[in-house]
Amino acid sequence: MAPGNDYKGMIAMGTNNGSLYSIRKVAGTWETSWKKIWDSENFKPADYLALAGGQMSGNLTIGTTAAQKDLNVNGNIKTRKVKVSITEWPDYVFEEKYPLMPLPELGAYIARHQHLPDVPSAETVKKEGVELGENQAILLKKIEELTLYILDQHKRQEALEQRIAELEKERK
């Protein structure tokens, strides 16, 4: 791929002993062999991608040729930042008419399903994975619900403490 050109298709990259190899899929067919495209003892994939220039459309796979999404990585990813765009955020939990599940009902749900309502089960996550933005919204919803439960418990505790103080006053 010459700098400034677009590449349409899929490209897979892998490293071996400090070298970068690539294989491309063009018109639905994978090339027959890996090509060495960078050789350095201090290999950094980001350097190669920065030098390549241009734009890439299609799928990018790293460590695999099984492309299922736009970016496919078979391995760990290290990054400084991930930004996920999401359209629904659970501020609605603090609306006056939000139907907070009563604690006994919540306890029964957990006993029956072994996970919180609206949170995917371990089996589902193992099979399907999680959508990062959606999962963050679910977790925030649960934190906000916990906050409402705590505030309600605090209100009840204050009422009980006040009632105890009144009873002690009457007793004297």
Side-chain angles (χ1 to χ4, degrees):
M1 175 170 71
N5 293 337
D6 289 348
Y7 173 74
K8 293 184 168 75
M10 293 193 302
I11 186 169
M13 289 187 271
T15 61
N16 186 14
N17 297 326
S19 299
L20 175 69
Y21 293 83
S22 75
I23 189 168
R24 298 182 308 169
K25 185 176 187 179
V26 181
T29 305
W30 283 99
E31 294 176 334
T32 57
S33 63
W34 288 87
K35 292 183 174 72
K36 186 186 281 189
I37 54 176
W38 185 287
D39 193 5
S40 169
E41 291 184 25
N42 297 317
F43 168 74
K44 295 178 189 158
D47 291 344
Y48 170 75
L49 294 174
L51 290 172
Q55 304 228 336
M56 190 180 106
S57 61
N59 299 60
L60 174 62
T61 62
I62 301 172
T64 180
T65 56
Q68 298 173 349
K69 302 289 182 188
D70 294 336
L71 173 63
N72 303 274
V73 178
N74 182 14
N76 297 326
I77 299 172
K78 179 180 179 183
T79 182
R80 293 180 190 266
K81 195 181 217 181
V82 173
K83 184 173 186 174
V84 177
S85 299
I86 188 165
T87 56
E88 188 175 329
W89 207 239
D91 288 346
Y92 56 84
V93 170
F94 295 122
E95 291 175 4
E96 194 69 34
K97 294 183 178 181
Y98 179 75
L100 191 61
M101 186 180 289
L103 286 173
E105 191 177 322
L106 178 60
Y109 181 95
I110 293 169
R112 185 170 47 254
H113 300 284
Q114 299 297 299
H115 63 88
L116 291 169
D118 303 323
V119 175
S121 68
E123 181 181 329
T124 299
V125 171
K126 186 175 180 180
K127 187 187 299 182
E128 300 172 16
V130 293
E131 296 286 339
L132 187 59
E134 181 182 306
N135 193 59
Q136 287 296 104
I138 290 169
L139 294 176
L140 179 61
K141 177 182 174 183
K142 295 304 160 189
I143 291 168
E144 290 178 351
E145 289 175 346
L146 284 170
T147 302
L148 291 175
Y149 286 125
I150 290 169
L151 290 171
D152 183 59
Q153 292 297 317
H154 179 71
K155 191 186 306 180
R156 290 171 187 244
Q157 182 179 349
E158 282 186 328
L160 288 171
E161 288 173 358
Q162 183 179 351
R163 180 68 179 136
I164 290 169
E166 289 170 3
L167 289 171
E168 286 178 345
K169 202 179 213 182
E170 288 176 12
R171 203 173 94 175
K172 290 183 180 179

